[in-house]
Amino acid sequence: DAKTTQPPSMDCAEGRAANLPCNHSTISGNEYVYWYRQIHSQGPQYIIHGLKNNETNEMASLIITEDRKSSTLILPHATLRDTAVYYCIAPAGNNRKLIWGLGTSLAVNP
Amino acid sequence: DTAVSQTPKYLVTQMGNDKSIKCEQNLGHDTMYWYKQDSKKFLKIMFSYNNKELIINETVPNRFSPKSPDKAHLNLHINSLELGDSAVYFCASSQGQGSHSEQFFGPGTRLTVL
């Protein structure tokens, strides 16, 4: 089963890039890494996922190291509305369910 | 248009009561989930249904019984509510079975057991 490790909290200035790291050193070769976020009092929201290659969408970019043991989620121009808990997740078990940790609480400051 | 909806949003009830939470998705997805988020903010999967069939059933007391009348609905019935059941319950859906599929979450139901 893949487990992920993230810093409990981070700060970022509004307008700057937010780089959120995640370690997943036990991830196996065919397991994707997923990123979700949860804004206070709302349901989690999907951001992006990747396997080996770097990925980019309208919300963020995902940089995955060549050995796949870690990844970084990049919010290129953070806004106050990006203040949330960010979860880095990898599926686990025979039924491939997502294992959620406590994530990183990102505070975007004006 | 709401993609995944849950009712009620808030539920306050006494210990020992039986209650239900309803979930509906209008995304045409074939897989639905129930998650529990406790006071420490851990989000844990409870159940998953694919095309009305149970595919994930975590170690959850049998007081919790999911019911899927059709692909678009997954309801959660809880018997004999206990204090420890107080949490936020999230419903989610995905196209395909979870691991390689983006999950869409509902707004959550905050259950408080007194």
Side-chain angles (χ1 to χ4, degrees):
Chain A
D1 292 359
K3 294 182 181 177
T4 61
T5 306
Q6 299 176 256
S9 63
M10 293 182 65
D11 286 294
C12 177
E14 188 178 17
R16 306 297 293 269
N19 298 305
L20 295 103
C22 178
N23 288 326
H24 33 78
S25 57
T26 59
I27 198 170
S28 64
N30 61 351
E31 289 179 341
Y32 284 77
V33 175
Y34 285 77
W35 283 83
Y36 284 76
R37 73 180 183 183
Q38 187 173 23
I39 296 170
H40 181 63
S41 297
Q42 296 183 20
Q45 177 190 23
Y46 166 83
I47 301 174
I48 200 167
H49 73 282
L51 183 62
K52 293 181 182 178
N53 299 323
N54 297 337
E55 302 287 345
T56 295
N57 62 20
E58 65 278 4
M59 290 183 70
S61 294
L62 177 61
I63 308 298
I64 303 173
T65 57
E66 196 169 335
D67 61 9
R68 301 211 330 117
K69 293 186 176 183
S70 65
S71 60
T72 300
L73 180 76
I74 300 173
L75 308 178
H77 305 286
T79 70
L80 298 179
R81 287 178 295 181
D82 291 324
T83 292
V85 178
Y86 287 77
Y87 296 95
C88 167
I89 308 158
N94 292 332
N95 53 20
R96 319 309 294 159
K97 62 182 182 290
L98 298 181
I99 304 295
W100 298 68
L102 286 176
T104 295
S105 179
L106 174 68
V108 180
N109 304 310
Chain B
D1 286 347
T2 304
V4 182
S5 59
Q6 297 178 226
T7 53
K9 188 168 175 62
Y10 299 97
L11 183 54
V12 181
T13 188
Q14 300 286 333
M15 263 197 317
N17 285 347
D18 303 338
K19 291 293 179 185
S20 292
I21 308 172
K22 295 185 177 181
C23 178
E24 177 181 4
Q25 54 95 4
N26 63 6
L27 299 167
H29 289 166
D30 55 13
T31 305
M32 295 185 72
Y33 313 80
W34 276 109
Y35 286 85
K36 177 182 180 181
Q37 188 169 40
D38 59 25
S39 58
K40 295 182 179 178
K41 303 299 184 184
F42 276 111
L43 194 65
K44 293 182 181 177
I45 190 165
M46 301 172 68
F47 302 102
S48 173
Y49 271 72
N50 178 260
N51 283 319
K52 302 196 300 176
E53 290 192 21
L54 183 65
I55 56 172
I56 294 176
N57 185 355
E58 290 299 292
T59 307
V60 175
N62 57 14
R63 297 181 295 103
F64 290 79
S65 53
K67 286 187 172 52
S68 182
D70 55 55
K71 271 188 3 175
H73 296 84
L74 181 62
N75 304 323
L76 184 65
H77 188 76
I78 315 171
N79 290 326
S80 304
L81 278 155
E82 300 177 356
L83 294 177
D85 298 332
S86 294
V88 181
Y89 292 84
F90 289 101
C91 176
S93 73
S94 68
Q95 185 60 39
Q97 293 186 28
S99 67
H100 293 174
S101 304
E102 170 188 352
Q103 293 187 24
F104 291 79
F105 283 78
T109 296
R110 181 173 294 277
L111 171 65
T112 303
V113 182
L114 304 175

